[in-house]
Amino acid sequence: MKDIAVAVALYNNEKEVIEFAKGLLKQTAADRIQLLVTCNACKDVEAFKRDMAEVMPSAKVFDPGKNLGYLNGCLYGVKGSVSDYSWVMVSNTDIEFKEQDFFERAVENVSEDIWCISPDIVLSATGVHQNPFLKDRPSKKRVMIWKIAYSNYLFFRLYFKLSELKPKKPQTGVLKDSTVYAVHGSCFILSRECVKSLLPVCKKIFMYGEELLVAEVIHKNKKKALFKASVGIVHNENQVTGSIGMARKQKWFKNSFNYLTEKFFKN
């Protein structure tokens, strides 16, 4: 029985997705995993389906005919599969699992009030740990500062320039499993109930801000997100998002934070 879905979005990175599928097959829980691939952009969908079938025949490939963005694209595959999975991992495909029993360890001994699980995520290039994304819920003032920073192109460029100047140091000390407000968007595992709550709102965000959207859905339902430091992945950060122009990034950030502030931080 495949009770764990791994939902990814393909954007002209067919070879990377194939390699990602090979990594899933090495997992001890491989027979429980259903890979769902949404083709946001693909040179030849039918050719990709044939290539994927040779590597992982059980994988399901979906073609929405347009780019749906990250979270909405991944969950498009979940809707299209018409299956009720216990857990859905939404993930980039530029990652490597540190443990062969990653999935068993990630979801074991998790209480019913946990709606989201995310591992220790280490950037391969710098050793920086990307989780926890935010330990505590941000204040309305802080969210409004983000909204202003993303509101126009000049503010956006300045904000990111200042962010780049801030030193990013590798984590020191021992990380511990803990409940947090928000986890990093490159890899998180959602409960069935969380997915059902996200489906009505995920279309509102194309790219960026997914961490806050997931966190606020969990917060609204009085549930929790778990940073599970005892399991890990290596994030290789490919060039898909890196090739996106700053003007488009600014537009997507602006749209995301306009929605987030109006929906969750208005009062």
Side-chain angles (χ1 to χ4, degrees):
M1 176 182 177
K2 296 186 182 297
D3 63 328
I4 301 172
V6 176
V8 302
L10 184 155
Y11 190 87
N12 293 329
N13 60 333
E14 291 89 337
K15 290 183 179 179
E16 181 179 274
V17 175
I18 292 291
E19 291 303 311
F20 177 76
K22 291 177 182 178
L24 289 177
L25 290 172
K26 295 177 183 177
Q27 286 289 309
T28 54
D31 60 339
R32 296 173 56 193
I33 296 171
Q34 176 67 68
L35 177 60
L36 308 171
V37 182
T38 299
C39 295
N40 278 340
C42 182
K43 295 181 181 68
D44 188 332
V45 175
E46 293 306 315
F48 173 74
K49 286 181 178 180
R50 291 192 294 270
D51 291 342
M52 179 59 74
E54 290 182 7
V55 174
M56 182 183 279
S58 64
K60 297 182 180 181
V61 179
F62 302 90
D63 181 15
K66 60 180 180 179
N67 186 357
L68 299 178
Y70 178 51
L71 181 60
N72 186 41
C74 292
L75 294 186
Y76 179 89
V78 177
K79 288 185 290 184
S81 68
V82 196
S83 296
D84 204 18
Y85 304 104
S86 298
W87 296 98
V88 174
M89 186 175 94
V90 173
S91 175
N92 289 6
T93 52
D94 56 352
I95 66 169
E96 299 174 28
F97 300 101
K98 287 186 176 181
E99 304 90 6
Q100 284 192 320
D101 58 348
F102 172 89
F103 289 91
E104 294 97 332
R105 292 177 60 186
V107 301
E108 70 179 358
N109 301 322
V110 174
S111 60
E112 291 185 0
D113 63 343
I114 298 296
W115 271 23
C116 177
I117 304 165
S118 190
D120 180 28
I121 303 172
V122 182
L123 286 173
S124 59
T126 62
V128 169
H129 293 247
Q130 294 183 287
N131 260 335
F133 186 77
L134 283 173
K135 291 183 179 180
D136 302 303
R137 189 174 190 249
S139 65
K140 180 181 177 181
K141 180 179 179 181
R142 186 178 181 186
V143 174
M144 292 305 297
I145 290 172
W146 288 334
K147 180 181 178 182
I148 293 169
Y150 304 144
S151 63
N152 71 61
Y153 186 69
L154 290 178
F155 286 171
F156 182 77
R157 289 297 298 262
L158 178 61
Y159 181 80
F160 270 83
K161 189 66 176 177
L162 293 173
S163 298
E164 289 172 1
L165 294 175
K166 185 178 179 181
K168 296 178 176 63
K169 300 179 180 179
Q171 178 73 36
T172 58
V174 178
L175 295 171
K176 297 181 179 179
D177 293 7
S178 58
T179 54
V180 298
Y181 167 72
V183 298
H184 197 272
S186 58
C187 179
F188 49 83
I189 304 171
L190 305 172
S191 70
R192 177 191 296 121
E193 293 78 12
C194 188
V195 170
K196 290 178 179 177
S197 295
L198 276 168
L199 286 174
V201 296
C202 68
K203 291 182 180 180
K204 301 294 184 178
I205 289 183
F206 182 75
M207 275 189 69
Y208 306 116
E210 297 92 351
E211 290 92 349
L212 264 67
L213 179 63
V214 172
E216 282 301 304
V217 165
I218 292 171
H219 175 77
K220 181 179 179 181
N221 285 277
K222 296 181 171 54
K223 303 300 179 180
K224 298 176 182 178
L226 175 65
F227 164 47
K228 202 152 191 181
S230 53
V231 292
I233 64 168
V234 176
H235 188 188
N236 295 312
E237 277 202 310
N238 67 22
Q239 298 303 308
V240 171
T241 55
S243 64
I244 298 171
M246 290 294 286
R248 280 203 293 168
K249 284 185 179 180
Q250 184 266 325
K251 176 185 176 182
W252 294 337
F253 267 105
K254 175 184 175 180
N255 291 343
S256 294
F257 276 79
N258 282 348
Y259 172 71
L260 289 165
T261 52
E262 179 68 22
K263 177 72 174 178
F264 300 109
F265 293 93
K266 189 174 182 178
N267 298 321

